[in-house]
Amino acid sequence: MKNKCNETYIQQLIKSTMQAVGMEVELKQDNSGINMSYNFIGHYVGFDVNRLVEASKEMQLPISLELYIKIITMHELGHAIDRDALLNTLSRTLEIFDKKNSHSLYELYNNIDLLAMLIEEHEMNIVFEETAWENAKQLNVQFNIVDEDMFEAVRAHSLSTYKSLYEEDLHLYEELVALQNAQIA
């Protein structure tokens, strides 16, 4: 029963944040393991109750669940604002998705072309994340939803996860290129 109360409370909090900034996007609960995500094809925001609770606790700066959810909701709405740009990358996104699903992890990380494709995907994602955060910041400034310092803390934490994964793969790519060049020489 407690989990059902959390689900209802969190859903109401997300919806009230959407209403506060004047944006209505369909909301779907899922158990994806991703705190919140914007599906630009279906034009809806998905949320995982358990992951939202966990993610709010992972912040270095103590933050309430309510504040965390408001900030992440604005971020997902930031993606919705950028939907046209996301849709413009759909064909490339699907190409990358298909290639990733047709190769093993070993192949993806040991083939220069496939690893370059992963780097490209990271770079696209980082641009979309940064744009969504900029859009969210504008929403926050316009509607004064949360404290700017708390907003920036969540923003920095969120972006760091994307950038650290990118940097790991970029390092592997650079090592693979160096190894291949050494073999050719």
Side-chain angles (χ1 to χ4, degrees):
M1 185 67 169
K2 185 179 180 194
N3 194 33
K4 189 66 178 165
C5 292
N6 277 347
E7 292 169 15
T8 302
Y9 175 70
I10 287 172
Q11 187 168 10
Q12 289 172 344
L13 189 57
I14 295 167
K15 285 182 177 181
S16 70
T17 305
M18 289 179 176
Q19 289 170 347
V21 299
M23 290 182 70
E24 292 295 321
V25 177
E26 184 181 359
L27 191 58
K28 294 183 179 183
Q29 183 176 346
D30 63 38
N31 295 312
S32 64
I34 299 171
N35 56 9
M36 287 183 83
S37 62
Y38 173 67
N39 182 305
F40 67 93
I41 298 169
H43 190 52
Y44 66 86
V45 171
F47 69 101
D48 183 322
V49 171
N50 294 328
R51 183 63 190 129
L52 276 167
V53 172
E54 289 172 14
S56 70
K57 293 176 183 175
E58 292 171 1
M59 293 290 302
Q60 292 175 343
L61 186 67
I63 186 169
S64 70
L65 177 63
E66 293 79 9
L67 201 54
Y68 181 80
I69 290 173
K70 286 179 181 185
I71 294 167
I72 293 296
T73 299
M74 285 189 290
H75 168 68
E76 297 311 331
L77 294 174
H79 282 300
I81 291 168
D82 196 36
R83 184 174 188 222
D84 287 341
L86 291 163
L87 287 169
N88 286 335
T89 66
L90 182 57
S91 62
R92 183 61 181 148
T93 299
L94 291 173
E95 282 177 43
I96 292 171
F97 179 80
D98 289 342
K99 277 204 176 201
K100 284 171 61 175
N101 284 335
S102 65
H103 291 88
S104 68
L105 276 178
Y106 179 84
E107 291 171 316
L108 290 171
Y109 283 95
N110 288 283
N111 178 301
I112 288 179
D113 295 331
L114 293 174
L115 193 48
M117 177 196 68
L118 294 181
I119 300 299
E120 176 190 357
E121 181 184 40
H122 283 301
E123 290 169 347
M124 285 173 37
N125 288 338
I126 289 169
V127 167
F128 288 129
E129 287 301 309
E130 289 174 340
T131 300
W133 279 112
E134 280 303 310
N135 291 338
K137 183 177 184 173
Q138 294 307 314
L139 289 174
N140 192 47
V141 167
Q142 183 177 355
F143 296 100
N144 197 27
I145 305 296
V146 299
D147 173 76
E148 185 180 340
D149 291 338
M150 294 305 260
F151 180 91
E152 289 300 328
V154 174
R155 175 186 188 165
H157 181 264
S158 176
L159 285 173
S160 72
T161 60
Y162 284 90
K163 290 179 178 178
S164 66
L165 291 172
Y166 165 72
E167 289 167 5
E168 287 174 22
D169 283 357
L170 183 60
H171 179 70
L172 292 172
Y173 176 78
E174 290 167 347
E175 285 183 345
L176 194 55
V177 168
L179 180 63
Q180 188 176 50
N181 288 340
Q183 290 173 348
I184 292 172

